[in-house]
Amino acid sequence: MVSADAAKQITVIGAGIIGVCSANYLLREGFDVEVIDPALPGSEAQCSYGNAGGICPGSCIPNAMPGLMKNIPKWLLDPEGPLFVRLSYLPQALPWLLRYLASARKERVVEIADAMRSLHRLTFDCYEPLVKEAGCEDLIARRGQLFVYEDPQGPEKSAFSLGLRRERGVNFQVLNKDELRQLEPALAPIYQRAVYLPDQGQAKNPGRLVASLAEHAARQGVRFIRARVEGFELGAHGPVAVLTDQGRRPVERVVLAAGAWSGALARKLGTDVPLDTERGYHVMVKGADVGLRIQTLSAERKFVASPMEEGLRLAGTVEIAGLEAPPNYARADILLRQGRQMFPQLHGGEVKRWMGHRPGTPDSIPVIDVSRRHPNVLFAFGHGHQGLIAGSVTGKLISELAAGRPTSIDLRPFRADRF
Ligand SMILES: Cc1cc2nc3c(=O)[nH]c(=O)nc-3n(C[C@H](O)[C@H](O)[C@H](O)COP(=O)(O)OP(=O)(O)OC[C@H]3O[C@@H](n4cnc5c(N)ncnc54)[C@H](O)[C@@H]3O)c2cc1C
């Protein structure tokens, strides 16, 4: 039996944005926190390093939407399309893909949109104390977000998703070509319409955000251990130790926040969650200043252009090809070509390509839950396309669950056993 004080010990597996925010909030809750990860917080191995930086309280549009079936063949056949399934991986991915298709039903989409909005609406509130304490408030810019359309009927064709936002109180304005030009003159004049969401924002350097929050946590006493968790030693009430490539470490409670790698570890803990990697790419054009102020998404081509501390980042695409296959940087080159259409003034600059593993559930929402099997295990993974948005909120929720307090939002939609 552990003493009350010792029971405050908690081990977080994974030091991406989810693990690091959880560590910070657990620390605030009075826990003695250890974080285990072979990678450095904020380094390129993490999905949290290379994302587009969007921090969007109004993000409530699932990836799988009604009409998905109709678009899939077009996307799969288009080499420049936003979704690609590597044929050799198809048999492994099929169960996940079928669940993904099933989550595109209208009634389910509405439920998912509610869950996404409930989680994301608190993002800035939950980042605020963390970035303030860590002294990195400068990393968060709240300049809004733009969706731009080449098709003059674009916003009308997006009526369903705009309706989902409106019904959930998300503020937006539909702009014509002139209004767009006034707001964001850096964009090529190929865009006929736009939707502007003034309350969204972005991180100007997601890797530095994770690193800064981790450094702050370390200064406050969180121990960061460079090791890979390979398994667990189970006692009568759950794991009593994690088994790592650097040896055995005793644990009292565990938070599983290992991003796209969480599925295999959850299975070792007796919980099977459909989790796969939705591989994404970015091209960073270092030193490029095209004059972009507001993060901009091409509604038709499904990529994001983000003005970052170090230059312009073009990010996007989903590649279903598993955790092991080497990157196909041709997909990043597509982003650069598309970026040059968006910014004809984009010349020069050092180009750096990156691939990362989004931890994707088929229904676009994460698992934030206490294990039914082992009450000393908490799950915090599967944040897919929105982990940066949800990172701060997930951290707070995990600390509430660990402390046995009522949670800030209803966590039923995020249960591990919903699949
Ligand atoms: C191109 C692209 C654009 C994106 N844009 C956005 C955006 O604009 N806004 C947004 O909110 N989200 C965005 N995302 C998604 C976001 O980046 C992810 O949801 C988020 O980074 C997931 O964070 P995480 O901490 O769960 O995973 P990660 O950052 O991947 O961290 C997981 C950590 O677990 C560690 N780990 C793995 N296995 C083990 C093990 N066995 N033992 C110990 N540690 C282990 C890994 O080393 C890693 O450090 C984007 C993603 C991509 C790819």
Side-chain angles (χ1 to χ4, degrees):
M1 200 67 187
V2 289
S3 75
D5 271 345
K8 284 272 195 187
Q9 195 280 334
I10 194 157
T11 300
V12 180
I13 304 174
I17 191 67
I18 305 299
V20 160
C21 287
S22 300
N24 271 279
Y25 268 105
L26 287 163
L27 187 71
R28 293 164 70 90
E29 195 70 54
F31 283 90
D32 170 34
V33 189
E34 177 165 290
V35 181
I36 305 183
D37 194 321
L40 277 177
S43 62
E44 290 188 25
Q46 303 185 324
C47 192
S48 303
Y49 161 88
N51 59 58
I55 301 183
C56 310
S59 170
C60 60
I61 311 300
N63 302 321
M65 290 281 278
L68 175 75
M69 277 299 265
K70 185 174 84 224
N71 281 323
I72 280 187
K74 183 179 78 187
W75 285 345
L76 294 181
L77 293 173
D78 177 0
E80 306 226 339
L83 175 68
F84 179 76
V85 182
R86 213 174 273 188
L87 215 55
S88 56
Y89 190 68
L90 184 61
Q92 247 170 293
L94 203 58
W96 187 96
L97 286 168
L98 292 173
R99 286 177 195 265
Y100 179 76
L101 289 174
S103 66
R105 276 181 305 108
K106 214 170 189 168
E107 318 78 72
R108 182 66 186 128
V109 163
V110 169
E111 287 170 2
I112 297 168
D114 282 338
M116 290 176 82
R117 175 69 167 145
S118 72
L119 183 66
H120 297 154
R121 65 199 300 273
L122 300 172
T123 180
F124 287 126
D125 296 342
C126 295
Y127 269 120
E128 207 175 84
L130 301 192
V131 294
K132 217 176 200 162
E133 280 178 9
C136 60
E137 290 154 290
D138 62 303
L139 279 174
I140 295 189
R142 295 175 72 163
R143 299 202 193 109
Q145 187 185 42
L146 272 167
F147 285 74
V148 292
Y149 296 86
E150 293 166 55
D151 180 349
Q153 296 304 310
E156 287 72 25
K157 290 182 182 164
S158 305
F160 180 63
S161 48
L162 290 178
L164 287 176
R165 291 201 203 268
R166 189 181 298 109
E167 286 152 18
R168 282 155 193 84
V170 179
N171 190 12
F172 65 86
Q173 297 149 25
V174 179
L175 308 182
N176 64 28
K177 194 171 180 174
D178 286 343
E179 291 163 333
L180 172 61
R181 196 135 190 81
Q182 280 174 34
L183 186 66
E184 196 45 282
L187 297 167
I190 55 176
Y191 302 107
Q192 310 302 320
R193 306 278 295 283
V195 171
Y196 175 51
L197 296 104
D199 302 327
Q200 316 272 59
Q202 72 162 99
K204 292 191 272 183
N205 183 338
R208 188 156 80 80
L209 177 65
V210 178
S212 305
L213 296 179
E215 280 159 21
H216 173 71
R219 282 193 299 270
Q220 303 301 306
V222 172
R223 295 178 302 285
F224 284 83
I225 311 294
R226 298 282 298 274
R228 180 179 304 281
V229 174
E230 292 173 335
F232 302 91
E233 189 179 309
L234 296 176
H237 306 291
V240 291
V242 291
L243 307 173
T244 82
D245 57 357
Q246 307 296 318
R248 174 187 184 276
R249 298 193 72 84
V251 296
E252 286 175 8
R253 294 174 191 212
V254 170
V255 178
L256 179 53
W261 296 268
S262 302
L265 293 174
R267 268 193 299 281
K268 291 189 176 179
L269 290 166
T271 297
D272 203 353
V273 171
L275 185 81
D276 210 332
T277 162
E278 295 183 57
R279 298 149 56 111
Y281 290 82
H282 87 215
V283 169
M284 188 76 204
V285 192
K286 285 196 169 180
D289 183 11
V290 292
L292 183 71
R293 281 186 333 106
I294 303 171
Q295 182 183 72
T296 299
L297 289 90
S298 159
E300 284 104 355
R301 299 179 199 277
K302 312 264 180 249
F303 74 95
V304 190
S306 299
M308 293 278 178
E309 215 168 43
E310 295 184 302
L312 180 72
R313 181 171 289 180
L314 303 161
T317 90
V318 173
E319 182 187 47
I320 306 291
L323 284 166
E324 303 302 331
N328 172 12
Y329 287 119
R331 297 201 62 78
D333 296 336
I334 296 167
L335 294 168
L336 186 57
R337 271 203 302 284
Q338 291 176 331
R340 290 203 165 117
Q341 286 162 4
M342 187 178 262
F343 306 103
Q345 69 277 36
L346 178 59
H347 300 296
E350 183 200 337
V351 172
K352 220 178 136 207
R353 302 176 300 180
W354 171 88
M355 189 272 285
H357 294 287
R358 295 185 191 91
T361 62
D363 61 5
S364 308
I365 47 178
V367 174
I368 306 170
D369 200 3
V370 180
S371 161
R372 299 288 167 284
R373 194 76 182 260
H374 305 302
N376 65 340
V377 172
L378 299 169
F379 296 132
F381 60 81
H383 292 75
H385 295 235
Q386 276 94 18
L388 190 66
I389 307 173
S392 59
V393 195
T394 303
K396 182 158 195 229
L397 292 164
I398 285 295
S399 72
E400 291 167 347
L401 284 174
R405 289 200 288 113
T407 52
S408 298
I409 67 167
D410 177 7
L411 283 179
R412 275 172 299 181
F414 306 97
R415 284 174 65 126
D417 62 1
R418 69 180 184 270
F419 298 99

